[in-house]
Amino acid sequence: MNKDVIVVENLTKHYGSLKAVDGISFKVKAGEIFGILGPNGAGKTTTVRMMTGVISPTSGSVTILGKDIREHALKIKEQISVLPETANVYVDLTGQQNMDLFGKLYGLNNDEITCRSRELLKELDLYEHRHRKARFYSKGMKQRLSLCVALIPDAKVLFLDEPNSGLDAESSKQIKNVISQLASEGRTILLTTHNMIDAQELCTKVAVVNQGRIAAIDSPINLRRTFQERQYVIVEFSESVSVEQIMTLPDVNEVRNLGTRLQCFTSQPGKVLMGLVEIAKEQDIQLVSANTESATLEDVFLRLVNSKHN
Amino acid sequence: MEIKSLQKVIAIAIKDMRVYYLKGPTIIFGLLFPFFFFLSFIIGREMSPTVLLPGLTAMVVFFSATAIGPVIFPTETRAHTLERLVSMPIPLWAILLGDVLASTVFALISSIIPIILALLFIPVTSSGLILTFIGVLIGSICFSYMGQLMSSPPVDQTSTIMMISTLIKFPLVFISGIFVVITAMPEAVRFIALLSPLTYLADLFHASFGGVSLFDPVLDILALSIWTVGFVTLSLLAHRRTIERRL
């Protein structure tokens, strides 16, 4: 059985009267990609900052690799890699100089830095640009360099705070590939994101965070299953059918008008589909298309966040 | 200090040298400012090099050592590079020491010109030369920490810190025997001068360049050492207190 690499217990951070993080608890097992998913201002970054020893918690504890972060911050920092959300590389230094600086700060020797830099810069398509100042890199290149810097110590535990934020599709794909590869090599990764697709594609477990609290925590597939009623059928008829008429079908919870199509939320998509066929027959119109979909993580997320707000 | 910690301190210092030595505020406040300030004072006056050069040297050390400290923290806060440093396995004192090392080297390099001028115009003895080097070194360290202390308010605008540092630095220049020898100052001002660390550096240079000094050089060095310990402690405490608010 995999042991717990990260244990967070009742973690709280107050800024005056504001509770940025309010009693968060979870565990991350070795080899997991654990996602913290939440809207902007949910407390994701504050949580990561406390977990990585950048800021002190108001109360609660974080244990990484069996050591408490408050008592052994430096020892833990030597064994983890951090990609902070807003943190940047030094734009007045070249890509290679950034790698050298952070390699030294991680305590690597020159040979290790040279070897790791070459490997990482090549993997993220920056090797040819390593002698250019980072000021002249595109945003995607800077973010890839930032990831290279974070990965230089070859740590077994990684904290990646919004690694894909604001990136173009190509850079985002490259970074996701690297994260998947790191996970397949047995590293434990804690990833924060507000991107549902990233969380769904990458994470083995997800904590949905809102207003500083965990709203739900499970694997993406289980979270989606929990919300059976958020399955839906998207249907298109040859002529218009009113939302009220669809709502008369049993098991339809909600209907949304999507232009020429209708989205019917239900926990029984098969039954609803048959009902839709009956409507088409009764009105002598054609059922042009009908697709059933299970709830996406985005549906789950929006549902959780809205229910908390309400 | 462990060798690995020392390597990390040097890595921070090299980063600072590459990034901050050529920044506008560093050049303006560290090099151009003391030069023009001094020029405006000496033009039209007949003063001997023995009176002028100790003041010039002290002023160059003072301004150049306090030029980089106020630039680093606001810039790194604004550029979000500070959070990255804080997430590294390096303690805050080592980050501060690395910054001070870069600042000290900048002051040492800047002070070469007034020292060469002194050697050209004043018959400095070998013991005077040793005292000068000690003074430049300890003054550079002392004022580097002072500059760093001034950058502790958690703001991300260099101009804000520069304003604070100018408010502190200007009065010090006028009361510390840079332009007027302390012995020639009125008694009340002389008392205030004793509260300025720059007084002891200027006085040390007056002694080492063969001029009239108020204190024994050993006392000047001791006073500068005490001020240095004070600035090191205050800088660490102040930055430890404000660093979270910068992130």
Side-chain angles (χ1 to χ4, degrees):
Chain A
M1 190 177 155
N2 284 354
K3 63 173 184 176
D4 295 324
V5 171
I6 303 170
V7 180
V8 176
E9 285 178 338
N10 207 20
L11 197 62
T12 303
K13 182 71 181 178
H14 295 178
Y15 291 106
S17 59
L18 174 76
K19 284 184 179 175
V21 175
D22 190 7
I24 279 181
S25 300
F26 60 84
K27 291 176 181 177
V28 183
K29 291 191 182 303
E32 262 185 348
I33 304 187
F34 187 95
I36 299 183
L37 180 65
N40 292 334
K44 305 184 298 287
T45 296
T46 308
T47 304
V48 171
R49 283 174 173 170
M50 287 190 281
M51 293 172 73
T52 53
V54 171
I55 59 173
S56 313
T58 306
S59 64
S61 68
V62 177
T63 309
I64 297 171
L65 297 163
K67 294 189 185 86
D68 188 286
I69 190 75
R70 288 212 215 202
E71 291 168 25
H72 306 280
L74 279 183
K75 283 257 184 259
I76 292 173
K77 285 178 182 179
E78 282 172 1
Q79 294 176 284
I80 63 173
S81 279
V82 185
L83 175 64
E85 182 198 1
T86 51
N88 216 334
V89 290
Y90 285 94
V91 293
D92 289 317
L93 299 182
T94 66
Q96 186 62 55
Q97 285 169 343
N98 271 288
M99 297 298 279
D100 292 344
L101 167 65
F102 289 103
K104 286 264 163 58
L105 295 183
Y106 272 116
L108 306 183
N109 63 38
N110 288 340
D111 290 343
E112 287 170 322
I113 292 170
T114 309
C115 183
R116 285 289 293 161
S117 298
R118 191 187 306 128
E119 194 181 310
L120 289 165
L121 292 172
K122 276 187 177 172
E123 193 171 348
L124 283 154
D125 289 339
L126 293 170
Y127 192 69
E128 302 300 318
H129 308 279
R130 69 191 185 282
H131 295 308
R132 277 173 65 199
K133 282 191 176 179
R135 175 178 301 284
F136 303 111
Y137 285 16
S138 67
K139 187 177 179 185
M141 288 167 80
K142 278 184 199 155
Q143 186 70 352
R144 279 184 276 143
L145 178 60
S146 195
L147 184 62
C148 287
V149 161
L151 298 180
I152 199 166
D154 201 14
K156 296 293 173 212
V157 184
L158 309 174
F159 291 84
L160 309 177
D161 193 2
E162 302 271 7
N164 280 335
S165 182
L167 292 187
D168 60 277
E170 184 58 34
S171 294
S172 178
K173 191 179 167 192
Q174 258 183 321
I175 288 180
K176 276 202 272 191
N177 287 342
V178 170
I179 294 170
S180 299
Q181 191 191 321
L182 290 166
S184 68
E185 290 166 4
R187 288 176 179 81
T188 307
I189 300 173
L190 187 135
L191 174 85
T192 77
T193 181
H194 61 264
N195 187 318
M196 267 57 70
I197 295 164
D198 286 354
Q200 198 161 312
E201 285 177 4
L202 293 168
C203 300
T204 47
K205 205 182 233 184
V206 172
V208 181
V209 177
N210 189 39
Q211 294 180 330
R213 291 181 178 182
I214 291 182
I217 184 164
D218 212 329
S219 65
I221 194 158
N222 281 346
L223 279 173
R224 287 161 61 194
R225 276 189 195 138
T226 313
F227 288 83
Q228 286 293 324
E229 79 275 13
R230 300 308 288 173
Q231 294 179 89
Y232 53 84
V233 179
I234 293 185
V235 64
E236 184 172 7
F237 294 103
S238 57
E239 288 175 33
S240 89
V241 174
S242 69
V243 168
E244 290 74 21
Q245 200 172 352
I246 304 287
M247 282 299 290
T248 60
L249 291 174
D251 301 313
V252 172
N253 305 318
E254 184 189 341
V255 178
R256 283 188 199 159
N257 202 329
L258 306 176
T260 59
R261 297 173 305 155
L262 294 163
Q263 186 179 24
C264 317
F265 287 91
T266 175
S267 58
Q268 303 288 336
K271 278 188 186 174
V272 169
L273 192 56
M274 286 166 72
L276 293 168
V277 171
E278 283 304 313
I279 288 175
K281 274 184 187 170
E282 279 169 18
Q283 298 197 6
D284 198 21
I285 55 176
Q286 281 188 341
L287 196 140
V288 178
S289 68
N291 296 309
T292 61
E293 298 279 348
S294 54
T296 63
L297 201 52
E298 182 164 7
D299 295 318
V300 175
F301 172 74
L302 290 172
R303 189 82 169 169
L304 282 167
V305 169
N306 289 336
S307 68
K308 288 282 164 185
H309 277 302
N310 297 333
Chain B
M1 196 195 303
E2 292 173 27
I3 290 177
K4 274 203 170 176
S5 297
L6 184 64
Q7 282 174 343
K8 291 175 185 182
V9 168
I10 292 170
I12 296 270
I14 291 171
K15 175 266 293 178
D16 289 339
M17 289 172 189
R18 284 176 168 152
V19 175
Y20 298 107
Y21 272 20
L22 294 178
K23 289 268 182 224
T26 308
I27 306 250
I28 292 166
F29 286 94
L31 298 176
L32 299 181
F33 200 78
F35 175 72
F36 286 110
F37 202 23
F38 191 78
L39 213 61
S40 67
F41 180 75
I42 60 164
I43 286 176
R45 295 180 185 214
E46 296 230 346
M47 295 170 85
S48 80
T50 323
V51 175
L52 278 177
L53 287 169
L56 174 65
T57 312
M59 195 165 69
V60 167
V61 170
F62 180 62
F63 275 101
S64 55
T66 50
I68 293 183
V71 179
I72 296 176
F73 268 86
T75 308
E76 300 236 356
T77 303
R78 195 172 60 251
H80 299 295
T81 46
L82 186 65
E83 182 173 351
R84 183 137 232 167
L85 283 186
V86 176
S87 69
M88 292 284 127
I90 176 168
L92 180 61
W93 66 261
I95 296 175
L96 297 177
L97 183 57
D99 291 343
V100 161
L101 182 58
S103 180
T104 301
V105 171
F106 184 73
L108 292 177
I109 294 168
S110 307
S111 63
I112 288 173
I113 295 169
I115 289 174
I116 289 173
L117 286 175
L119 291 175
L120 287 174
F121 293 105
I122 303 169
V124 183
T125 61
S126 54
S127 60
L129 198 60
I130 292 168
L131 273 180
T132 306
F133 286 130
I134 292 171
V136 169
L137 184 64
I138 198 167
S140 301
I141 297 169
C142 179
F143 295 122
S144 293
Y145 270 110
M146 183 187 174
Q148 192 174 68
L149 173 64
M150 289 188 289
S151 75
S152 62
V155 296
D156 64 359
Q157 293 299 318
T158 310
S159 55
T160 310
I161 297 296
M162 282 300 179
M163 188 180 69
I164 296 169
S165 74
T166 305
L167 276 174
I168 297 168
K169 279 155 55 175
F170 260 61
L172 283 188
V173 170
F174 287 104
I175 63 158
S176 303
I178 297 290
F179 300 120
V180 181
V181 184
I182 293 174
T183 46
M185 286 179 176
E187 192 116 347
V189 181
R190 207 186 296 176
F191 175 74
I192 299 168
L194 297 181
L195 301 174
S196 162
L198 186 55
T199 298
Y200 303 97
L201 186 66
D203 194 59
L204 181 63
F205 289 143
H206 278 294
S208 55
F209 290 167
V212 181
S213 68
L214 194 63
F215 304 110
D216 186 274
V218 177
L219 201 66
D220 287 326
I221 291 169
L222 187 68
L224 281 169
S225 305
I226 292 167
W227 272 106
T228 305
V229 172
F231 285 136
V232 172
T233 311
L234 287 173
S235 177
L236 183 60
L237 290 175
H239 281 284
R240 192 175 280 166
R241 199 180 160 87
T242 57
I243 194 123
E244 276 196 19
R245 280 186 272 161
R246 291 182 178 278
L247 306 176

